[in-house]
Amino acid sequence: MLDIPLPGRVHVEHRSQATRQGVCDAVTQNAQAKQLVESARRAAPTRSPPRPPGRPRTARPERTAMNAPHLPKVAGIDPSVPAPAHTSAPAVPPPPSAPTSCATADPPVQDRLAGWVSDLTTLQELTERLTRTSELEGALRELLRAGASLMGAGRGLVTLHPDHHGGHPLTVGLGLGHADIGHIETIPHDPASAPGPYVRLLDDLPPVGDRSGRAHPDIPGEDDLDPRHREVAARLGYAASYALPLESAAAPTGETPSAGRVGAAVWLYDEPAEPTERQRHLAGLYCGYAAEHLVRLLELTRARRTLGALREELLPGRLPRVPGIRLAVRHRTGPQGGGDWYDALSLPEGALGLAIGGISGSGPGATAATARLRASLRAYAVIEGEDPVAVLSDLELLLRLTEPTRTATALFAYCEPGTRKVVVAGAGHCSPLIIGADRAEYVETSLSAPLGMLACWEAPSVEIEPAPGETLLFYSDGLLNRPGDAMDRSFARLHSAAASVPRSARRDPEAIADHVLRTVLPDGPAGPGDEDVVLLVAHFD
């Protein structure tokens, strides 16, 4: 047995065909050395010798080439280099690849997924902002802003088809004034390409059913464009445009039962440019949703306009002219079509009847009930107008019989211009306010319940005598109600507005009405709420 201190494996390179004689001798010697090493390994113990007691365990030194027996290096052969299994030099195998996770499996796919998520988030935010718009013009402006941000444009305009908008086209611009839109309208129009009354810049849109857009990436350099088009573009300072149609898949109700194109939008670039395929796709998706929202707002706008016209027709078309009394009225119908109303009618013997009130509910049902109530009050006023209590008693009986689920407030005043005598009776309505040279105060009327609240209504009337030059104000509670304000503050605000009427305007009922309305509702006639507002002014000469 050979005494080899540290066994080790020695790899010897074999060559099957030696080109020189010395190589064959070296192979023979190396083979003998290999056999000696293998014999020593088999004879070596498999376990380490026992550690002396008290001696700590130390790390085992690595076996390196210094520990292995040094074989002779002959004929240019280095025994320390491992030998290949084949005679020809094989290709170096690639290192084993480490297992990869899903996050690093395919970076392009991950980038695309991140882009899709970003696009969906952007579309969600823009469509949510659009759905919060309740007015047609506000929705159009939001559409232009969203499209400009999606396609990187600075300006734009959108127009709606008149067939879906009561016969009149509606055009809204972004970064364009009325004069700029007027210049665009001077571009020659081709009725064959766009029979609808769209803005001239939108004439080359595809036919109905094709929602793809049309781009003019370089308007100054396009030879096939009309010279007037290039002239308008140079004057307004845009060099490229991209237009999209607005088409609805749902059939709207009303005069136009078929679905189709409701309008179109175009965005303008200050420099030659063209939106990318991704931008076109996002803008097309957004405009498809916007078109459906616009159709709903168009139908809602048409319904509001129809209801408002109906309500205006049910109210007095003009105020009567009675010697000694001059009248003025301000009326605004809320978006929901409330039940506030007023009336002024000539009565026998030169008298004048003034009425104001409101009925519970809103919408077409309340409008129809208001018309019936007002017509009934006119009939009762002609029969027994000099007794306002009897007029309201008859009206209350009719309401309980014909409208059992509704209640109403009413105030009726019988006026004699010659004697300046006014008899007033109220049923749950606000007391009138009298304005004079030295006073502004509420008329003391008796407290009473609204019509339809009690089994039998009756309340005493009150008689007042306005002095020459004084004015009576009749108003609805829509003029008082303001979110967050108590009623006493509302009455105080109205009293302050009436007392602050300039002396130069106190003999003009129109000026008085404007001043009071402007002071009480500084935000405009629409006011802060959705209620009807009625202000009836009677000035005594």
Side-chain angles (χ1 to χ4, degrees), residues 41 61 65 102 135 143 196 204-205 263 287 312 326 349 351 381 383 433 449 451 502 537:
R41 175 179 295 177
C102 296
E135 298 294 334
L143 166 66
D204 58 347
L205 284 173
C287 287
E312 292 297 331
R326 288 179 294 153
E349 301 179 359
I383 297 174
L433 195 151
L451 304 177
V537 180

Side-chain angles (χ1 to χ4, degrees), residues 182-184 186-188 225-235:
H183 285 304
I184 294 176
T186 61
I187 299 174
L225 284 181
D226 189 276
R228 179 59 182 168
H229 193 165
R230 290 196 294 271
E231 179 183 349
V232 170
R235 173 174 295 185

